[in-house]
Amino acid sequence: MAGPTTARRGAGQQQDDPARPPRPTRRRLPRRRLLIVIAVGILLLASGSVWALYGSSWLRAEQVTTTGVAVLTPAEVEAAAAVPIGAPMIAVDTDAIADRLRQKLPRIDSVDVVRSWPHDIGLKVTERKPVLLMKKGTKFIEVDVKGVRFATADRPPKRVPLLELTPDQSASLRRFGSGRLVREAVRVAGELPGAVAKDTQVVRVTSYDSITLELTGDRTVVWGSGEEGPVKARVLTALMKAAPKAGHFDVSAPTAPAVSGR
């Protein structure tokens, strides 16, 4: 009877043996202290980022690169842009630079001002292109595809037709205004067939529905209004192929065109 009892006591002694070291327990930071540590880390990271963007010399505007210019020069564009060299890149106001360029250089149709980290400000320029010219004294005013009069030149650019706006005090001028008539002329010029556009020397507007073209070789085209432009272009191309030596073409009513000699 003594044997089993002794064995049970032995097992109990092994479980409560004070000689065996207790298992280590993991100590966890209190939740509040952990949140404080995380917040401090975020604050330090944010402070470092702000210093790098605004306070350091690593990320500052040091140069300007201009692309897309043809008539304007990079020096003209960069002078008008007035990029604050030495300022933090993040503080450069790209919208203000774009506004300055459009105001000071009307030849610029659009411009993208981009930050090229770490030190470069890029100016991607799209210039206006003249589609018509308006003569004023000895100068030539360039008009773009939107009807915007954007520049004055001493000499006319090559292969750009002259716009003669001579409505006097017609009903069209009173009703539409010169701006609308200019846009109609631009519209017509933009819808001419390629070969005709190349040979067009003058676009004459006397009223909204009376637009005439003067071509090389003493040829004339009565276009009428700017309406049905693509149809008129196709009819005119067909007439010129059918009568290559004709000097007068009338497509003002494209369903009933006319052609005659010089």
Side-chain angles (χ1 to χ4, degrees):
M1 295 299 293
T5 303
T6 304
R8 284 196 297 272
R9 288 179 179 176
Q13 288 177 353
Q14 289 179 357
Q15 288 178 352
D16 301 329
D17 189 352
R20 176 174 293 183
R23 294 181 180 180
T25 58
R26 296 180 181 179
R27 299 184 62 187
R28 296 183 179 180
L29 289 175
R31 182 178 180 83
R32 184 176 180 183
R33 185 181 298 177
L34 179 61
L35 291 175
I36 292 174
V37 171
I38 293 174
V40 170
I42 293 174
L43 180 61
L44 291 174
L45 181 61
S47 299
S49 299
V50 171
W51 177 82
L53 290 172
Y54 289 94
S56 77
S57 59
W58 301 341
L59 303 174
R60 293 186 175 268
E62 295 181 359
Q63 62 182 10
V64 181
T65 303
T66 301
T67 58
V69 293
V71 178
L72 296 170
T73 65
E76 287 178 294
V77 174
E78 290 162 19
V83 175
I85 298 299
M89 287 283 285
I90 194 68
V92 174
D93 191 337
T94 56
D95 290 337
I97 292 172
D99 289 342
R100 279 198 296 274
L101 285 171
R102 286 190 293 266
Q103 290 173 4
K104 293 182 178 181
L105 300 174
R107 184 175 291 276
I108 293 179
D109 184 24
S110 64
V111 58
D112 290 329
V113 183
V114 296
R115 297 182 183 88
S116 297
W117 301 89
H119 303 299
D120 186 52
I121 298 295
L123 308 176
K124 299 180 180 180
V125 174
T126 300
E127 294 182 356
R128 299 182 190 274
K129 296 181 180 180
V131 295
L132 290 174
L133 300 173
M134 298 180 70
K135 194 170 183 179
K136 185 177 182 180
T138 59
K139 306 288 187 178
F140 296 89
I141 300 172
E142 299 179 60
V143 182
D144 76 351
V145 70
K146 300 174 184 176
V148 176
R149 308 174 197 189
F150 64 91
T152 301
D154 294 327
R155 295 181 179 180
K158 294 181 179 180
R159 295 185 178 180
V160 180
L162 183 66
L163 168 60
E164 290 187 0
L165 190 63
T166 57
D168 298 325
Q169 294 301 316
S170 67
S172 287
L173 182 60
R174 291 193 298 272
R175 179 180 177 185
F176 300 106
S178 62
R180 174 66 183 276
L181 297 181
V182 168
R183 290 193 295 274
E184 285 301 305
V186 168
R187 175 184 174 187
V188 170
E191 293 178 337
L192 294 177
V196 176
K198 184 178 66 175
D199 291 342
T200 300
Q201 296 179 317
V202 177
V203 177
R204 181 174 292 108
V205 181
T206 55
S207 68
Y208 177 83
D209 55 1
S210 181
I211 299 174
T212 304
L213 313 175
E214 290 186 6
L215 311 184
T216 58
D218 294 325
R219 295 171 296 164
T220 61
V221 177
V222 177
W223 192 268
S225 71
E227 298 173 5
E228 299 184 278
V231 176
K232 293 177 180 180
R234 291 194 296 269
V235 171
L236 180 59
T237 299
L239 287 178
M240 288 183 163
K241 287 182 178 179
K245 296 184 178 181
H248 183 80
F249 305 88
D250 189 337
V251 293
S252 57
T255 56
V259 61
S260 61
R262 298 182 190 279

